[in-house]
Each structure stands twice: as C-alpha cells, then as structure tokens.
C-alpha cells in the first residue's frame, strides 16, 4: 500500500501511527459529541470538535510533528474549502434579498396556488434535481429553490423534515451528476478517470435510488395530505398574507432566472450567485419600495416581517450573512479537525488497516464507500472524504485490475451524498441553517430529514449491493491499464483479492 505524502512535501513529516493511536482522537471526539448532543441536549458541536482538534494535535506532537506542521495541515484543508464558504456567504445574502424582493414569496405563492399537495414532495425532489443539475451546486439549490419549497410545504401542512428530505435528495443528486459540480470533478481527478465516464458509471446506482425515492415521496404525499377545509384555510391564510405584504408578479422571478442562465453558460458559481444578490437587491428597491440601506441590511442581517400568520413569519424572517455565521464557524472548526487528522496521518493509518484486510473486490468497494462515509462523519469535510480515500484506495483497484471508475463512484456516493446527512459536516450544517430547521434551538425532530433523504443513502447502498452481485462493476480495459502505465500510476500488489 502506498504511503500518503504531506500536501506540502514529497515525504510524510511523521511516522504512521498505530491503529489504536489513530482511532483514539476520533473515538474521544465522538464521545464528546454524544455527551453534548444526547446527554446535555444541546446541538452546538463546536466545542466538542475543537476539543477533538486539541486531542489530535497532541497525537501529532507525540508522533514528532511540530505545531507549525499541524497548523499547516489545518490551514491547507480550510483553504480548499474557502470557495464553499464564499458560496455560503452569497447564499445568505441571496436569501435575505430574494425574500425582500418578493422572489421567494412569489415562488411560495404560485407553488401553493398551482401545485397539488399530494404530489408536492415528489415534485420538490424533481425540481431540485433539475435546478442542481443545471447550477452544479447543491448548496445554491438548497438556499434558493429549497427555501421556497420549505414555504410551500409549510402551507400544505407538510412537516418540515419531510420537505427537507425531498429537497436534500434532489439537490444533492443534481450535484452528484452535474459536470459543473466541484465534487463531480474532484472524484475522477483523484482516481485518474474522466468526468463524463464517471457520470455515466454512476447512472446504474443513481437512477434506481431516485426512482425509489420518487415513489416513496409520491405515496407519502397521498397518505399524509388530507385536503379538508382546514388545509385549504391554511393555504388561503398564507397566500392572502403574502399578497397583502408583497407586490407579487411573475417578473419577480427574474433574479432566479439570471442565476440559472449564468450557470447554464458555465459561469463560476460565486459570481453567478452574487449576480443574483445584486438582482435581488435591485428588484427589492424597484418592486417593493426598499431603500438602498434596507437592501444592505437584508443582505447582512436578513429580512424581517411581522404578520398575523405565524407560518409566514417563521418562513420569511431569515437570511443574511449573519445567519450563516453559526454554520461557517462550525465548518471552520470541523475542517481544521479534519486537516489535523490528515496531517497526523491518523486517517491514513485507519484506511490502510482497512485496505490490508479486504480479500475480495466487493469488500474493497464496500470499504471504499464506508471509508468515505466515515471520513465525512469524523472530519466534517466532503472534499477530504473524497480526496483522502481516493488517494489511498486507487492503487489497490489498479492492483486487482478493476477500473477506478468503481472507486470514483464509491467516493461520490460516500462523500457527496452522505455529507448533508451528518449535522456537523459542512453539508449538513449548511442544510440545517439554510432550510431553517432550527436544530440549535432544540427542534430535534427536524433531524428526521436525515432518514427521509432517501436518495442520499439508497444510492451508496445500491452501489454496495451491485458490487456483491458482481454487476455494474467494470474491470479495467486494456486502454485504462495502458494509461496507468503511461502516467506511472502506483499499482499496489494486493494478495488474495478477487
């Protein structure tokens, strides 16, 4: 098995820790998280993760690293995630300005008027899939279209966690399958394949998961929704309140259209999203009579409204850069923890131990997917959960002459799709904040969105099942083997794997 080099040097800066030492900071951190969340009943994982970072640093010092080396590892991983943090800031501004402009209220109004409550969950998943596929960003989809869908679902009387589950399923499917997505490009880059072959190879596991999820949401809609007078009264109260407090018009959807057009033209996500902020601010001044100072306040601190309808108040009192600070601080701490785990080679030691114990291709595929999921769980970073297992497992796949497309699919499913299901992960923290699930305020029932995001966990399970059945698991072609040789890729001699 190949050793993992430091990002800054060609040689590792410390010796590989033993398996027991490597898992120690992870186990202690998970215990601290459990104490904070389940015993104290306080969902603020910042301090447990910070303590985990300190424990990991002590392991690094024991292994011969200097604090400067550990700090470099932390900053390296954080620097890789800075574009994502910039997206978070833009999404916070978008939420505030798009509510003030009437864009989000218009989407909610027409959604409640035109959509059937029974098919809403299934339609929400499909809509988020299409938008995310076009934008190439799950976070942008969740923070814009997903926010409006949360409002529509509330009007229909659907529990927040059901709507959030459908939004997450669709948004992260599109992120996984879009050639514009950063993670969709990262997975093949790490494993030495091309992006379009990678996307094609994900279809056999993604399509069944999406179909099953669609059918579940469809059935749930008909079982859950009872179109009685109370439901119609609730919808009417929301739509009447929106009509009273906003000048609603189809042209108010222009900011959303601008973002979609820029994404289709393959503009970078941050300028595209910021263009949406500017368009939202201009629309708020023109259509709703907001002043420039009001727009600055909406973008910074979020929108505020007080109506006689509690559902409208809870839906629209949100947004702004400041609303994202809880999430950004959590992401920075979690990524620093992940960077320290990588720099101290703790994650490498654990993954190496896993690779050395597999004896069949199906076990290798399962181990790769699970390693990516576990890295998501302990390191809090979807990028690290793809990059680190990718570097570690790729030589083993080449050694048994199986295409690394199998690995890139496992990484995408364990990395991209599981990220939003881990509340202290960058993806999960963003979902909780952008959709207003209020977990930090004690609304723990909304964590039910995790099992209800069916497509996100059905896809990796399907991939593992196919590996054990020996289907949709391509072996390396002669062309691929030649490319390994031409590129001087590392090929591990792994005994006993079939």
């Amino acid at each position: 098995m190949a050793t993992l080099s430091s990002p800054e040097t060609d040689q590792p800066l410390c010796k590989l820790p033993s398996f027991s030492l490597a898992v120690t900071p992870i186990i202690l951190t998970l215990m601290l998280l459990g104490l904070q969340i389940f015993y104290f009943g306080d969902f603020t994982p910042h301090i447990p993760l910070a303590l985990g970072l300190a424990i990991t640093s002590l392991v690094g010092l024991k292994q011969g690293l200097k604090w400067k080396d550990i700090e470099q590892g932390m900053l390296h991983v954080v620097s890789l995630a800075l574009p994502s943090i910039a997206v978070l800031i833009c999404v916070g501004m978008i939420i505030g300005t798009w509510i003030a402009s009437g864009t989000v209220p218009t989407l909610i109004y027409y959604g409640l008027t035109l959509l059937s409550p029974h098919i809403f969950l299934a339609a929400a998943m499909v809509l988020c899939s299409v938008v995310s596929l076009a934008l190439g960003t799950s976070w942008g989809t969740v923070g814009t279209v997903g926010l409006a869908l949360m409002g529509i679902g509330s009007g229909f009387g659907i529990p927040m966690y059901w709507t959030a589950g459908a939004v997450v399923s669709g948004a992260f499917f599109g992120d996984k399958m879009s050639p514009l997505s950063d993670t969709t490009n990262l997975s093949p880059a790490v494993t030495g394949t091309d992006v379009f072959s990678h996307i094609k190879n994900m279809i056999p596991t993604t399509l069944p998961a999406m179909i099953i999820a669609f059918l579940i949401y469809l059935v749930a809609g008909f079982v859950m929704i009872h179109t009685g007078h109370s439901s119609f009264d609730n919808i009417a109260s929301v739509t009447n309140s929106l009509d009273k407090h906003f000048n609603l018009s189809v042209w108010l959807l222009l900011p959303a259209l601008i973002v979609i057009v820029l994404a289709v033209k393959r503009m970078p996500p941050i300028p595209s999203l910021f263009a949406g902020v500017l368009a939202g601010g201009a629309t708020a001044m023109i259509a709703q009579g907001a002043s420039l100072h009001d727009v600055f306040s909406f973008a910074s601190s979020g929108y505020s409204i007080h109506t006689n309808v509690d559902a409208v108040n809870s839906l629209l009192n949100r947004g702004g850069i400041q609303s994202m600070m809880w999430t950004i601080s959590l992401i920075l701490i979690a990524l620093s923890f992940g960077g320290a785990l990588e720099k101290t080679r703790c994650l490498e030691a654990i993954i190496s131990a896993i690779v050395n114990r597999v004896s069949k291709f199906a076990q290798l595929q399962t181990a790769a997917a699970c390693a990516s999921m576990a890295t998501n769980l302990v390191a809090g970073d979807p990028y690290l959960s793809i990059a680190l297992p990718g570097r570690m497992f790729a030589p083993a796949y080449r050694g048994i002459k199986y295409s690394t497309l199998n690995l890139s699919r496992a990484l995408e499913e364990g990395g991209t799709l599981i990220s939003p299901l881990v509340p202290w992960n960058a993806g999960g923290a963003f979902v909780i904040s952008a959709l207003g699930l209020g977990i930090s305020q004690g609304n723990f029932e909304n964590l039910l969105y995790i099992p209800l995001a069916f497509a996100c966990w059905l896809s990796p399970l399907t991939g593992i099942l196919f590996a054990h059945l020996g289907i949709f698991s391509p072996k390396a072609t002669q062309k691929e083997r030649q490319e390994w040789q031409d590129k001087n890729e590392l090929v591990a001699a792994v005994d006993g794997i079939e």
Side-chain angles (χ1 to χ4, degrees), residues 240-423:
N240 290 337
S241 180
L242 292 174
D243 192 36
K244 177 182 177 181
H245 290 89
F246 294 91
N247 296 317
L248 301 178
S249 172
V250 175
W251 80 267
L252 296 178
L253 302 179
L254 183 61
L257 182 62
I258 288 173
V259 173
I260 292 173
V261 169
L262 291 175
V264 170
K265 290 183 173 294
R266 300 196 175 189
M267 287 288 290
I270 294 174
S272 300
L273 291 172
F274 192 72
V277 174
L278 297 177
T283 304
M285 290 190 289
I286 296 170
Q288 311 300 337
S291 68
L292 180 60
H293 182 254
D294 289 336
V295 171
F296 288 171
S297 297
F298 300 147
S300 176
S301 303
Y303 187 77
S304 178
I305 188 172
H306 300 284
T307 72
N308 294 326
V309 182
D310 291 337
V312 173
N313 295 337
S314 63
L315 285 169
L316 301 185
N317 287 324
R318 64 181 63 197
I321 294 174
Q322 301 308 316
S323 70
M324 293 294 170
M325 285 301 130
W326 187 93
T327 304
I328 289 172
S329 62
L330 175 58
I331 290 173
L332 289 175
I333 296 171
L335 295 185
S336 298
F337 176 49
L341 284 172
E342 181 179 25
K343 192 69 175 185
T344 57
R345 305 182 71 193
C346 289
L347 291 178
E348 180 186 351
I350 296 169
I351 293 174
S352 296
I354 294 171
V355 172
N356 292 333
R357 284 168 173 77
V358 296
S359 59
K360 295 182 179 179
F361 164 74
Q363 293 176 347
L364 184 63
Q365 186 73 2
T366 303
C370 290
S372 185
M373 295 178 199
T375 307
N376 249 329
L377 182 68
V378 301
D381 179 21
Y383 302 102
L384 192 61
S385 70
I386 290 173
L388 183 62
R391 292 199 298 265
M392 297 299 298
F393 279 86
Y397 279 81
R398 298 186 192 108
I400 61 173
K401 297 180 175 57
Y402 267 83
S403 174
T404 50
L405 287 170
N406 297 292
L407 174 59
S408 65
R409 184 173 70 195
L411 298 176
E412 191 85 61
E413 291 170 343
T416 302
L417 294 184
I418 298 302
S419 168
L421 308 187
V422 180

